[in-house]
Amino acid sequence: AQSVTQLGSHVSVSEGALVLLRCNYSSSVPPYLFWYVQYPNQGLQLLLKYTSAATLVKGINGFEAEFKKSETSFHLTKPSAHMSDAAEYFCAVSQGNQFYFGTGTSLTVIP
Amino acid sequence: NAGVTQTPKFQVLKTGQSMTLQCAQDMNHEYMSWYRQDPGMGLRLIHYSVGAGITDQGEVPNGYNVSRSTTEDFPLRLLSAAPSQTSVYFCASSRQITNTGELFFGEGSRLTVL
């Protein structure tokens, strides 16, 4: 089975600062990778996905992620944090008919 | 734009009671799934279905039953609730059953078992 590791269960950044949320996966073959965002009391929404077309993937709300096979990583970044980015972020890997989620990173944006 | 609809949003049960969490989608998605979300553990797959009449177990299936009689509906049944089943449950569907399909989530059902 796949596994996904998100380093840092809580990340705080100042408004306007760089956002970096880390995700590493375990896979012996190129995976399909996803980042989802969850706002309070809501379901998860897709931010972006990697499906082997390009290593740098751009998503909604200014987020992007880079697939690095050598590091088995798929870190999420945003150049300038906004207050509305405060949420929980989940990295996920899919294999066959199953998705495997990381434990999540809660992002706090400090005004 | 209904998408994935879950009911109820909140439920309190006593140990040993049974109940069904309902999930319906109006996107004609073949793939549907149930997850539970617990603090510090992310989302864990309970059961999934790749089409009407086809279901399979995920990572944490014990204590839960599912059926898929129609493309639209995928109910999750708790036969005898236990406090360990206190959680937030999410239903999710996908158009594709291959690796590249994105999941569309419902808003969740918060279950408390006393």
Side-chain angles (χ1 to χ4, degrees):
Chain A
Q2 295 277 356
S3 70
V4 179
T5 302
Q6 291 185 242
L7 291 177
S9 58
H10 297 276
V11 170
S12 295
V13 299
S14 298
E15 191 175 14
L18 172 72
V19 175
L20 171 60
L21 305 181
R22 301 179 186 274
C23 173
N24 290 88
Y25 63 92
S26 67
S27 175
S28 59
V29 296
Y32 296 100
L33 295 155
F34 305 79
W35 275 100
Y36 284 85
V37 61
Q38 183 182 32
Y39 299 103
N41 300 314
Q42 294 187 24
L44 280 70
Q45 305 170 33
L46 182 69
L47 267 181
L48 50 80
K49 66 179 180 182
Y50 167 76
T51 58
S52 76
T55 56
L56 183 62
V57 182
K58 294 187 183 299
I60 62 172
N61 301 336
F63 284 93
E64 61 183 35
E66 186 173 9
F67 172 69
K68 291 188 177 181
K69 183 179 179 181
S70 61
E71 299 177 6
T72 60
S73 69
F74 190 55
H75 301 332
L76 181 71
T77 61
K78 182 173 180 178
S80 177
H82 191 272
M83 295 300 295
S84 60
D85 295 327
E88 184 134 22
Y89 293 79
F90 292 92
C91 182
V93 171
S94 69
Q95 180 181 45
N97 291 323
Q98 298 198 28
F99 287 74
Y100 301 88
F101 286 83
T103 53
T105 298
S106 178
L107 176 66
T108 299
V109 182
I110 303 166
Chain B
N1 285 359
V4 178
T5 302
Q6 292 182 233
T7 57
K9 286 185 167 46
F10 301 95
Q11 183 72 50
V12 179
L13 289 179
K14 295 181 179 178
T15 296
Q17 287 185 317
S18 63
M19 76 156 300
T20 299
L21 298 177
Q22 302 289 347
C23 176
Q25 52 90 10
D26 61 359
M27 297 174 283
N28 201 31
H29 285 174
E30 290 295 325
Y31 183 91
M32 295 186 75
S33 55
W34 277 102
Y35 291 86
R36 60 177 290 172
Q37 182 179 25
D38 301 292
M41 303 194 73
L43 279 79
R44 292 180 292 169
L45 180 65
I46 304 172
H47 286 285
Y48 65 95
S49 169
V50 298
I54 307 170
T55 64
D56 206 346
Q57 296 181 352
E59 180 184 358
V60 289
N62 292 341
Y64 307 95
N65 281 354
V66 293
S67 60
R68 185 94 179 270
S69 56
T70 67
T71 299
E72 295 77 20
D73 300 299
F74 191 46
L76 179 71
R77 297 183 185 85
L78 285 71
L79 299 180
S80 179
S84 61
Q85 294 178 303
T86 293
S87 187
V88 181
Y89 292 85
F90 287 97
C91 180
S93 70
S94 178
R95 180 175 61 85
Q96 295 172 273
I97 61 173
T98 58
N99 294 329
T100 61
E102 77 173 87
L103 289 172
F104 292 82
F105 284 83
E107 294 191 346
S109 298
R110 186 176 295 273
L111 175 66
T112 301
V113 183
L114 303 176

